[in-house]
Amino acid sequence: MKILVSNDDGIFAQGLRALTSELKQIGQVVVVAPDREQAATGTAVSLHQPIRVHQVAPVVPGVESYAVRGTPGDCVIVALGKLITDRVDLVICGINHGANLGDDVPISGTVGAALQAYLHGLPAIAISVPGSNSPPLDTAAKLAALLAKEIGLGVLPANVFLNVNLPDLPPAKIGGISITHLADRNYTDVVEERDDGGYPYYWFVRQKKNQATDKQTDTWAVEHGNISITLLHANLDKSSPPLPDNLCSDLFQQLRAS
Ligand code: MN
């Protein structure tokens, strides 16, 4: 099994190393990751600047590793399009240092990298733990390897990719694994005014809203000590509610008359 590993925390991140060393036990791993922190770059892809790539010292002994001056999405595109010439079976992104739940997902670079794999028709997993020194890092790595084996057996439907989050608990305290939906609007963005020696600027502070109440959501699962797995797809308009019947004709008539 050939596995591409990427992340958004950069090539030196501890989570990337933990993931790579576990996956090395079950397949041939290639690491292609940003050369620096690329958190919250979401689905960004560099269409108007050069993508520079350097082969670097193996992240884990024996694992071909590349550092990319670009976004997590760029890493996956350049890996699949140029750096890896044979077939890739699976792409795993992480282990991210920081949860990617609910409204985190559209801005997460970890998920953005997995999305590119999905858009290339490959199975993909984004996997995250709550903090930088979270106890579940090893557990997350083991879970990624188990999921990789299942995916190798063809368990995953073709039209989804996985967003996996672990609670901040030692392995023995984790309650179980739940298949979840993304929580809706779980943050408030506060725009703070700050000052840099006479130069005012703004700083975004994400504040968590109240504890989750919907038991189907990823935030509820993780807050209650479970591992959350959300099945994602790129079809942003899927199952949207209907709009009034004559909205389009009304708008068009108004546009004509204007
Ligand atoms: Mn990150």
Side-chain angles (χ1 to χ4, degrees):
M1 188 178 216
K2 184 129 190 171
I3 306 170
L4 167 63
V5 168
S6 192
N7 75 348
D8 79 354
D9 297 321
I11 190 97
F12 301 112
Q14 198 190 345
L16 182 79
R17 203 160 52 240
L19 178 63
T20 303
S21 80
E22 192 68 36
L23 293 176
K24 199 189 149 192
Q25 320 288 326
I26 60 154
Q28 194 195 349
V29 182
V30 178
V31 172
V32 183
D35 66 357
R36 65 198 67 191
E37 170 82 49
Q38 288 283 326
T41 50
T43 59
V45 170
S46 307
L47 294 183
H48 305 290
Q49 45 194 319
I51 306 299
R52 304 203 190 273
V53 180
H54 297 284
Q55 188 161 6
V56 294
V59 161
V60 167
V63 173
E64 202 178 320
S65 304
Y66 299 89
V68 176
R69 174 72 66 87
T71 66
D74 294 339
C75 292
V76 171
I77 295 172
V78 76
L80 298 177
K82 188 57 73 176
L83 303 175
I84 307 174
T85 47
D86 46 347
R87 202 199 130 67
V88 170
D89 300 297
L90 171 64
V91 179
I92 307 190
C93 305
I95 298 164
N96 188 60
H97 298 283
N100 277 312
L101 298 164
D103 292 348
D104 296 323
V105 166
I107 65 166
S108 160
T110 313
V111 176
L115 171 72
Q116 282 306 325
Y118 165 85
L119 294 175
H120 282 75
L122 295 177
I125 302 170
I127 185 162
S128 306
V129 296
S132 46
N133 286 314
S134 284
L137 204 55
D138 288 344
T139 315
K142 284 180 188 146
L143 176 61
L146 290 172
L147 285 168
K149 280 191 206 161
E150 293 290 335
I151 288 169
L153 296 171
V155 168
L156 192 66
N159 59 342
V160 295
F161 62 111
L162 304 183
N163 185 42
V164 181
N165 280 273
L166 280 83
D168 204 357
L169 292 172
K173 295 248 166 101
I174 296 176
I177 301 179
S178 311
I179 301 298
T180 59
H181 295 292
L182 295 180
D184 213 12
R185 302 186 177 94
N186 52 324
Y187 288 106
T188 310
D189 285 320
V190 177
V191 182
E192 284 187 357
E193 288 185 42
R194 297 186 183 180
D195 195 282
D196 181 15
Y199 297 95
Y201 65 96
Y202 298 110
W203 190 267
F204 299 158
V205 179
R206 307 205 93 192
Q207 288 184 348
K208 265 198 180 139
K209 287 194 180 163
N210 298 333
Q211 285 222 315
T213 49
D214 183 346
K215 294 185 179 181
Q216 312 295 316
T217 59
D218 52 355
T219 49
W220 195 92
V222 169
E223 281 169 12
H224 290 79
N226 294 309
I227 294 166
S228 163
I229 299 181
T230 313
L231 309 181
L232 300 180
H233 52 77
N235 193 351
L236 292 176
D237 69 349
K238 218 172 195 174
S239 65
S240 42
L243 289 169
D245 278 344
N246 39 9
L247 179 73
C248 290
S249 55
D250 280 358
L251 272 176
F252 194 56
Q253 274 183 17
Q254 290 180 58
L255 183 66
R256 274 249 168 101
S258 68

